[in-house]
Amino acid sequence: MSQSLFGKVWDAHAVKTLSNGQTQLLIGTHLIHEVTSPQAFGMLRDLNLKVAYPHRTFATVDHIVPTDQRQEPFADPLADAMIRELRRNCEETGVTFFDLPSGKQGIVHVVGPEQGITQPGTTIACGDSHTSTHGAFGAIAFGIGTTQIRDLLATQTMALAKLKVRRINVNGELHPGVYAKDVILHIIQKLGVKGGTGFAYEYGGSVFDNFSMEERMTVCNMSIEGGARVGYVNPDEKTFEYLKGRPYSPSGDEWDAAVKRWRSFASDPDCEYDDVVEFDGANIAPTVTWGINPEQAISVVESVPTVEGSAEKEKALVAEALEYMKLPAGAPIKGTKVDICFIGSCTNGRLSDFEEVAKYLEGQKVAEGIKAIAVPGSQVVDLICREKGLHTVFENAGFEWRGAGCSMCLAMNPDKLIGDQLSASSSNRNFKGRQGSPTGRTVLMSPVMVAAAAIKGEIADAREVFGVGELANV
Amino acid sequence: MALEKITQVRGKGVYVAGNEIDTDRIIPARFMKCVTFNGLGEYLFYDVRKNEDGSDKEHPLNDSRFSDATILLSGENFGCGSSREHAPQALYRYGFRGIVAESYAEIFFGNCTTLGIPCFCATKEDIRTMAAAIEADPSLEITLDVENERIRFGDQNLTAVVRESARMALSGGKWDMIGELAEGESEIAKVVAGLPYMAP
């Protein structure tokens, strides 16, 4: 019977049906970080259980790491206690830790792929909702809670109910200046923040075929913002090319066997999906959020909605968002004054994000009074950017170039908004208070759009600011 | 490991109105700097409950009439956003033992079930009816009947939905699966042996 990748990977990892009707699923690759794992290790100790497969859990530290003053002990004693606790847990249990001095530390969803740990046809879980990122490789990757982290540490399995699969095709061609970030913001805007509940999203079509692995990661990363716990792209030559030669990738004779196996997990061409949705890539514009969830998004040339003009069931949320964001209803979003510009995060903190922005930053200057920060997603990304001289391009333009971590995406470290500052951000959530101030405001957009906002001091159309289209046509 | 069979939850209710109440709202990220879940209840809904100087804002959880509520009512897509178990843990440690909402985010729903917190789905109208009854009489006792998927209070007897896998897990005393997962040791080893990437 023909099957989707989701079905094949699920079957290959199903241990048995549990008495509550759920499936006991083997999770081959377990990733952990300092925020959601310490309590799980504590539960394990309380139950006198051991880590069953320590070689299949990998740790890094990302959320609480300062991006400027990185010497230990950290100034924040709570952050310092968290990194020490993770270090202790890894040492005691034999789990590999990409610690600060390793040169490999970074955001867990950047580290996994770049180390070659993320592989097609595997199951991956991490106590972090953006684990869906790893689906870009044709893996089934779940965000989980801390009790499930305990279950994984103790048994390498967890209890799960099977998801339905929705195929999302994006065909046609993207216009110049339209990026992977715009594609996922557009999908969420159309299908809604809870449209994906109960589904795994399988992304395909010519736009995804043409995307690089890092672009695929950007889209899969934000699946959860559309309610889908899992998002993936079928593995292809690009996937294999990306993985070849990575530290944890198979090598030698094992490589060919692995590629053959990986290829076999791709969805069969005639497989049936629970739902299919089509988008035309040509209809997607540079997209920005205006509200307090990622569905509240518009094209950069559009105006902020009005309560009166919104659908009846949306009215209350639109009113709440307008009040919080302090944006005039009905006014163009372009020209909105910004305070902080942030390029980084597990959504857009990879090498190609900085390369793309650097193309346009040469000779430009960040507008007066704007604080702009660029935060590589990992120490490896940082190193490559430095080798290529990209960090100097950012610094010459007036950006601060920081050390690797989650930074301002969620403000569990010193990078935070103050008061009602408005942030142009390449991250993934624009929830109230997300960036560290209870009244702070977040506008999500692609990294190049963040750079345009930094140069103009206001939300701007990067195509106009940088002539993105013209450059792309060269 | 014998777990309590959660067939019903009884208690007083409180209505926290709104759709898309996300996990950053339930527990702001800055309070997640901890290595245990102890004490998280204190920071539940912190930024919507407290002013920056620490004084109280107007919020149902700051209303003394609802101070001993154990059942939380809300709107659509409750618990969206992060996978942080800190959110259900904060609700649990604050004292909530059951939730009634129009719908839930997937990961949040699973995390609640694992902690033994039943999440009931009810219609907007029924939630409004419940909220009005609670407002009229905050001491009203509500029964969330997990097994029969009913919500009872006063002379009302409403239909609600508890997703089947959660209902079986809660009412069967199998909401925390660690014991059963661990029993499958040899079956796990068999699956592991068939997967080349699991080799040491």
Side-chain angles (χ1 to χ4, degrees):
Chain A
M1 206 184 85
S2 54
Q3 263 194 317
S4 68
L5 177 138
F6 183 85
K8 294 184 198 182
V9 176
W10 182 276
D11 288 354
H13 292 80
V15 176
K16 65 176 176 192
T17 303
L18 297 162
S19 62
N20 68 4
Q22 292 183 318
T23 301
Q24 179 172 15
L25 195 72
L26 182 89
I27 299 296
T29 304
H30 183 202
L31 307 172
I32 59 173
H33 59 65
E34 75 285 8
V35 181
T36 53
S37 72
Q39 305 84 353
F41 282 103
M43 295 174 191
L44 217 59
R45 284 188 194 102
D46 290 346
L47 294 168
N48 205 18
L49 293 169
K50 290 203 159 23
V51 178
Y53 295 86
H55 73 289
R56 294 310 306 166
T57 295
F58 302 88
T60 188
V61 57
D62 50 14
H63 287 58
I64 55 97
V65 173
T67 60
D68 45 7
Q69 299 298 318
R70 292 163 75 84
Q71 303 83 355
E72 292 179 61
F74 299 148
D76 176 353
L78 292 172
D80 200 63
M82 291 170 85
I83 190 170
R84 280 188 283 111
E85 183 75 5
L86 182 58
R87 204 170 276 146
R88 171 175 88 111
N89 286 330
C90 292
E91 276 166 9
E92 280 183 10
T93 59
V95 164
T96 302
F97 181 22
F98 301 113
D99 199 351
L100 279 179
S102 72
K104 297 173 178 173
Q105 170 269 342
I107 308 175
V108 64
H109 310 309
V110 177
V111 171
E114 81 188 358
Q115 292 300 321
I117 293 167
T118 303
Q119 295 177 9
T122 62
T123 48
I124 300 176
C126 176
D128 192 289
S129 61
H130 294 112
T131 308
S132 55
T133 310
H134 305 266
F137 291 78
I140 298 302
F142 300 91
I144 58 175
T146 293
T147 303
Q148 285 174 312
I149 298 174
R150 175 205 65 184
D151 294 350
L152 283 189
L153 290 171
T155 72
Q156 204 67 29
T157 66
M158 61 183 194
L160 271 174
K162 201 170 179 177
L163 297 170
K164 292 181 283 185
V165 181
R166 172 178 292 146
R167 168 85 180 189
I168 297 178
N169 286 313
V170 186
N171 282 303
E173 289 227 7
L174 297 180
H175 292 296
V178 175
Y179 295 99
K181 182 62 157 286
D182 303 305
V183 171
I184 186 62
L185 285 172
H186 183 83
I187 291 172
I188 295 167
Q189 198 258 326
K190 296 294 177 199
L191 300 182
V193 286
K194 53 184 181 293
T197 307
F199 283 98
Y201 279 176
E202 177 180 303
Y203 303 101
S206 60
V207 164
F208 283 90
D209 294 343
N210 295 331
F211 269 164
S212 68
M213 289 312 294
E214 297 195 346
E215 290 173 310
R216 293 176 189 179
M217 283 189 248
T218 296
V219 174
C220 290
N221 172 274
M222 287 188 69
S223 300
I224 188 65
E225 311 311 334
R229 193 172 185 182
V230 163
Y232 67 89
V233 178
N234 282 304
D236 62 8
E237 299 309 318
K238 276 187 188 160
T239 320
F240 312 142
E241 186 56 37
Y242 178 99
L243 284 171
K244 197 158 193 176
R246 304 250 163 203
Y248 285 83
S249 294
S251 57
D253 296 345
E254 286 174 21
W255 172 258
D256 290 338
V259 170
K260 191 171 170 223
R261 186 178 159 80
W262 291 343
R263 218 185 281 282
S264 73
F265 280 105
S267 294
D268 297 319
D270 56 344
C271 80
E272 284 195 13
Y273 297 98
D274 298 287
D275 191 31
V276 180
V277 181
E278 305 279 346
F279 289 97
D280 183 349
N283 292 337
I284 303 175
T287 302
V288 295
T289 58
W290 59 268
I292 52 171
N293 74 41
E295 176 183 336
Q296 292 180 319
I298 51 177
S299 143
V300 68
V301 298
E302 288 180 307
S303 295
V304 175
T306 60
V307 176
E308 307 78 58
S310 302
E312 198 52 43
K313 66 187 293 273
E314 300 297 330
K315 281 186 163 57
L317 200 58
V318 169
E320 184 185 348
L322 288 172
E323 190 193 345
Y324 183 84
M325 292 299 291
K326 300 176 182 157
L327 293 178
I333 189 91
K334 214 165 79 175
T336 303
K337 171 94 182 64
V338 303
D339 303 295
I340 305 281
C341 294
F342 167 56
I343 298 178
S345 84
C346 59
T347 313
N348 281 120
R350 296 186 179 79
L351 177 60
S352 59
D353 294 309
F354 297 105
E355 282 178 328
E356 183 67 16
V357 173
K359 278 203 267 180
Y360 302 107
L361 270 190
E362 202 94 48
Q364 301 276 5
K365 280 280 175 221
V366 168
E368 191 145 330
I370 303 293
K371 185 183 175 77
I373 63 171
V375 187
S378 70
Q379 293 178 335
V380 172
V381 172
D382 184 20
L383 183 70
I384 300 174
C385 286
R386 285 174 183 279
E387 282 170 358
K388 291 179 172 243
L390 299 180
H391 74 299
T392 340
V393 176
F394 278 85
E395 284 176 347
N396 288 345
F399 271 80
E400 294 174 31
W401 185 266
R402 299 289 190 85
C406 296
S407 182
M408 196 167 265
C409 177
L410 85 169
M412 283 191 70
N413 52 69
D415 305 339
K416 289 182 173 91
L417 298 183
I418 300 163
D420 68 355
Q421 278 181 330
L422 191 138
S423 149
S425 181
S426 74
S427 56
N428 43 56
R429 285 195 178 128
N430 52 340
F431 297 156
K432 288 180 177 179
R434 170 74 179 181
Q435 292 189 293
S437 161
T439 50
R441 299 171 291 162
T442 305
V443 178
L444 302 176
M445 59 186 80
S446 73
V448 171
M449 286 281 288
V450 175
I455 302 307
K456 302 298 283 185
E458 57 188 38
I459 294 174
D461 189 337
R463 296 171 300 188
E464 293 169 2
V465 179
F466 299 132
V468 168
E470 293 152 40
L471 240 178
N473 286 334
V474 170
Chain B
M1 225 167 46
L3 287 175
E4 184 197 350
K5 291 182 177 169
I6 300 173
T7 54
Q8 58 176 18
V9 172
R10 262 190 222 160
K12 295 171 193 166
V14 60
Y15 179 44
V16 175
N19 293 333
E20 317 288 344
I21 292 185
D22 57 72
T23 49
D24 279 85
R25 200 99 54 94
I26 296 171
I27 182 90
R30 63 185 186 281
F31 299 118
M32 289 161 55
K33 280 193 223 159
C34 53
V35 293
T36 111
F37 290 130
N38 296 336
L40 277 186
E42 211 181 310
Y43 304 113
L44 181 67
F45 289 116
Y46 193 87
D47 287 343
V48 279
R49 284 176 60 199
K50 300 281 182 184
N51 291 307
E52 284 183 45
D53 64 4
S55 60
D56 281 356
K57 289 184 189 178
E58 199 177 313
H59 189 276
L61 296 193
N62 292 336
D63 187 331
S64 60
R65 292 179 300 154
F66 308 120
S67 60
D68 52 356
T70 57
I71 294 171
L72 180 73
L73 276 60
S74 194
E76 279 180 37
N77 207 22
F78 188 71
C80 59
S82 156
S83 64
R84 65 186 68 153
E85 192 171 302
H86 302 66
Q89 289 277 1
L91 288 163
Y92 188 87
R93 282 157 205 272
Y94 184 89
F96 287 112
R97 293 295 178 268
I99 307 176
V100 181
E102 287 171 64
S103 58
Y104 299 88
E106 192 89 19
I107 304 178
F108 177 85
F109 181 93
N111 283 340
C112 283
T113 308
T114 306
L115 296 185
I117 306 173
C119 292
F120 281 68
C121 292
T123 63
K124 188 190 290 286
E125 292 68 38
D126 283 350
I127 291 170
R128 282 202 183 133
T129 306
M130 287 180 78
I134 294 165
E135 183 61 35
D137 175 14
S139 71
L140 180 74
E141 189 176 83
I142 299 165
T143 301
L144 304 181
D145 183 338
V146 177
E147 270 184 311
N148 301 303
E149 297 183 281
R150 311 292 291 189
I151 299 175
R152 291 186 291 270
F153 53 93
D155 55 1
Q156 294 275 355
N157 189 347
L158 307 172
T159 305
V161 176
V162 183
R163 195 187 299 169
E164 190 189 358
S165 59
R167 194 171 71 241
M168 286 168 69
L170 291 162
S171 60
K174 295 176 189 302
W175 37 274
D176 184 338
M177 295 302 287
I178 185 71
E180 201 175 329
L181 291 174
E183 280 167 20
E185 211 174 339
S186 62
E187 288 149 301
I188 295 169
K190 252 185 248 167
V191 176
V192 166
L195 295 165
Y197 78 100
M198 294 297 293

